[in-house]
Amino acid sequence: MFTTHPFDDDKLREECGVFGIWGAETAAAVAALGLHALQHRGQEAAGITTFDGTGFHSHRALGHVAGNFDKDSVIRALAGRAGIGHVRYSTTGETALRNVQPLYADFEFGGLAVAHNGNLTNAYALRRALVRRGCLFQSTTDSEVFIHLIAISLYSTVVDRLIDALKQVQGAYSLVALHDGALIGARDPMGVRPLVLGRLANGGWVLASETCALDIVGAEFVRDIEAGEIVVIDAGGVRSVKPFGRGQSRFCIFEYIYFARPDSIVEGTPVYETRKRIGAELARESGVPADVVVPVPDSGVPAAMGYAAEAGIPFELGIIRNHYVGRTFIEPTDQIRHLGVKLKHSANRAMLEGKRVVLVDDSIVRGTTSKKIVEMVRQAGAREVHMRISSPPTTHSCYYGIDTPERSKLMAAKHDVAEMGRIIGVDSLAFISLDGLYRALGKPGRDAARPEYCDACFTGDYAIRLADLEDNTEKQLSLLQPAAGQ
Ligand code: SF4
């Protein structure tokens, strides 16, 4: 049995990645490759459902994509030229397997498989209403809410039923769905979670959370699916439906800071370049005399490069990351636990000893890992340690599909920056400002009346209503919080 990750690196975690394929010789093999490229968006479970013209085939399991889809027999059993896939992060446990997506249901109009990335903010209310109507839930995922809403819809076509369902849900989601006649993709009306469209050389189509999944399968990037857009892909090509009209989009700004892979292009902006620009902005805002700029690997690397270039201070790998520490320790001993951060990160003493170090990381969540890394850098002989963070302080929880601790556990919700610096043990601590972050994204600053991005975890400005939380009858549902009765 898997346990909670023993070497929790104290990061927010993306909860899911989705992939869809239409018109490929072996859809399952292409989907497995695509999911492999999206593995950073969810490491606990993976699933693929395909359609072969007459029936659906599905394989879902806990664990990594590579471990679950590396056998010829598994791929061959997933016959068909169309498919959808999903990677998921979850707290795991016995209840996890039934939550692994895609979910599948038989309807009067045929089969339908659904997988999504994100979180519905009125999921509890909808589930209660659906249960009262006799719906029997098998899982705690929001995908099943979509399935039940589609099942009870009075519209006749799948797309009309999906629109009917989407009009009842609130939240942040990107979903892919597969039925007998089409591959469907949809983004929530504010486009908080990403979804892109790509084209294969043979004319087939791909939907994916990030462009890195297009690259690996040799698909050309066509465009981002727009906020509130539904695309229907079938033998006739791609049809776009926009049932929500034109609203303001609020893409997740944290995708640029940490979640998306650095080689992805999200919403038209290369992630790697953006991270370097954030680092440069950070150097302009809170530069400090130093001998060396050191990233906390891997996610702090591009921002540290940008910082170093802007500040004219050498960039050095003063911390080395061990990439092979992970879920191999299923039942860690106390001794292994005690090693903690050292199993994952080692100080490169030659680059630190006697130096004034600027340590660049992407975020501070609980602060536990930051404290240990600073200790390690000091033990390696650093003379001064100045920490620079390429996000503003994370003061609020995310309810839009990112695993965040509850607010009381967020260090920045409890302490001001000076206190945080003292607790972590640095000589100075600075975060990029909200305006600086927007500037790095090519905006003049944050327009408080009309912000271009979701930045609720830094501001508390939740653009999508947190209906379950406001109703106060249940906790706001996160994908990671088991529903009542679990
Ligand atoms: S609250 Fe933060 S992590 Fe969540 S969607 Fe908004 S910006 Fe992204």
Side-chain angles (χ1 to χ4, degrees), residues 227-485:
E229 181 182 12
I230 299 171
V231 287
V232 183
I233 300 169
D234 57 20
V238 179
R239 181 162 58 94
S240 169
V241 187
K242 294 178 183 165
F244 300 105
R246 231 189 145 64
Q248 195 205 347
S249 78
R250 296 286 293 270
F251 183 66
C252 167
I253 206 163
F254 226 133
E255 291 278 353
Y256 291 109
I257 298 164
Y258 174 61
F259 303 133
R261 233 171 67 165
D263 54 333
S264 283
I265 297 171
V266 294
E267 299 282 293
T269 305
V271 172
Y272 181 78
E273 282 302 315
T274 304
R275 286 182 190 163
K276 282 174 74 174
R277 283 204 303 273
I278 295 172
E281 191 67 39
L282 195 50
R284 284 191 288 274
E285 284 187 354
S286 54
V288 59
D291 304 309
V292 67
V293 176
V294 169
V296 177
D298 291 328
S299 50
V301 172
M305 290 169 77
Y307 185 107
E310 178 67 23
I313 300 171
F315 167 93
E316 297 292 356
L317 296 177
I319 298 173
I320 307 298
R321 179 169 167 201
N322 180 352
H323 288 261
Y324 303 99
V325 174
R327 286 148 183 77
T328 43
F329 295 103
I330 302 300
E331 300 284 356
T333 62
D334 282 350
Q335 195 187 1
I336 290 172
R337 276 185 200 283
H338 184 67
L339 284 171
V341 74
K342 286 190 185 158
L343 274 171
K344 199 161 183 177
H345 296 111
S346 312
N348 184 2
R349 180 174 279 273
M351 291 299 120
L352 300 169
E353 197 160 20
K355 306 255 174 68
R356 295 169 300 168
V357 176
V358 174
L359 207 52
V360 180
D361 203 353
D362 54 76
S363 56
I364 295 178
V365 182
R366 295 180 188 84
T368 46
T369 298
S370 307
K371 191 169 189 285
K372 288 177 189 158
I373 284 177
V374 170
E375 259 168 39
M376 190 175 75
V377 169
R378 287 209 190 274
Q379 278 167 10
R383 186 148 55 91
E384 293 174 18
V385 182
H386 303 275
M387 196 158 209
R388 296 293 178 267
I389 305 294
S390 63
S391 65
T394 306
T395 50
H396 291 73
S397 300
C398 174
Y399 300 104
Y400 301 150
I402 302 300
D403 173 32
T404 336
E406 56 190 62
R407 196 166 175 217
S408 63
K409 304 255 169 45
L410 295 171
M411 193 181 211
K414 294 184 291 189
H415 304 284
D416 64 24
V417 175
E419 283 169 353
M420 288 174 80
R422 270 195 297 279
I423 296 167
I424 290 168
V426 286
D427 295 286
S428 75
L429 171 68
F431 294 77
I432 192 159
S433 69
L434 206 51
D435 281 332
L437 179 57
Y438 274 74
R439 278 196 296 276
L441 281 157
K443 313 290 177 200
R446 184 180 193 265
D447 176 355
R450 219 178 146 71
E452 287 94 344
Y453 298 99
C454 175
D455 50 25
C457 47
F458 311 127
T459 59
D461 173 12
Y462 293 100
I464 301 170
R465 199 182 147 220
L466 304 178
D468 288 331
L469 198 66
E470 288 164 15
D471 287 355
N472 212 19
T473 48
E474 298 276 4
K475 273 199 288 192
Q476 177 65 55
L477 183 70
S478 152
L479 288 177
L480 304 184
Q481 290 164 350

Side-chain angles (χ1 to χ4, degrees), residues 19-290:
F19 188 86
I21 174 82
W22 178 268
E25 225 25 79
T26 46
V30 178
L33 270 179
L35 292 180
H36 181 65
L38 297 173
Q39 188 77 83
H40 59 289
R41 301 183 74 87
Q43 291 99 52
E44 302 289 343
I48 294 175
T49 300
T50 58
F51 179 65
D52 66 4
T54 51
F56 288 81
H57 310 278
S58 193
H59 182 75
R60 305 179 300 150
L62 299 181
H64 284 188
V65 178
N68 286 316
F69 294 99
D70 57 347
K71 290 189 190 63
D72 223 29
S73 54
V74 172
I75 297 295
R76 261 189 282 115
L78 292 166
R81 293 172 55 84
I84 59 172
H86 189 259
V87 286
R88 171 185 167 82
Y89 167 70
S90 76
T91 49
T92 75
E94 290 88 345
T95 58
L97 191 52
R98 63 197 174 109
N99 283 334
V100 179
Q101 301 179 41
L103 295 190
Y104 173 82
D106 280 311
F107 296 97
E108 58 195 280
F109 56 76
L112 181 76
V114 178
H116 86 285
N117 164 217
N119 205 38
L120 300 185
T121 54
N122 64 340
Y124 269 122
L126 286 172
R127 285 173 70 98
R128 273 200 311 274
L130 287 163
V131 168
R132 272 200 297 272
R133 293 185 63 167
C135 297
L136 301 173
F137 277 81
Q138 305 289 317
S139 77
T140 56
T141 77
D142 295 353
S143 279
E144 198 176 353
V145 174
F146 288 119
I147 280 179
H148 284 294
L149 289 173
I150 290 166
I152 62 169
S153 172
L154 299 175
Y155 287 90
S156 54
T157 71
V158 180
V159 175
D160 285 342
R161 283 174 179 233
L162 178 63
I163 293 170
D164 189 26
L166 294 183
K167 286 190 168 168
Q168 296 171 68
V169 305
Q170 293 169 7
Y173 56 82
S174 284
L175 72 81
V176 290
L178 182 68
H179 80 100
D180 305 18
L183 170 68
I184 300 171
R187 279 180 86 184
D188 71 76
M190 291 200 163
V192 175
R193 303 258 66 89
L195 190 65
V196 296
L197 177 69
R199 185 123 214 222
L200 293 166
N202 73 349
W205 297 95
V206 178
L207 291 167
S209 292
E210 289 182 39
T211 58
C212 62
L214 304 184
D215 297 337
I216 198 171
V217 302
E220 198 182 310
F221 171 71
V222 176
R223 65 180 178 86
D224 289 282
I225 304 304
E226 290 177 26
E229 181 182 12
I230 299 171
V231 287
V232 183
I233 300 169
D234 57 20
V238 179
R239 181 162 58 94
S240 169
V241 187
K242 294 178 183 165
F244 300 105
R246 231 189 145 64
Q248 195 205 347
S249 78
R250 296 286 293 270
F251 183 66
C252 167
I253 206 163
F254 226 133
E255 291 278 353
Y256 291 109
I257 298 164
Y258 174 61
F259 303 133
R261 233 171 67 165
D263 54 333
S264 283
I265 297 171
V266 294
E267 299 282 293
T269 305
V271 172
Y272 181 78
E273 282 302 315
T274 304
R275 286 182 190 163
K276 282 174 74 174
R277 283 204 303 273
I278 295 172
E281 191 67 39
L282 195 50
R284 284 191 288 274
E285 284 187 354
S286 54
V288 59

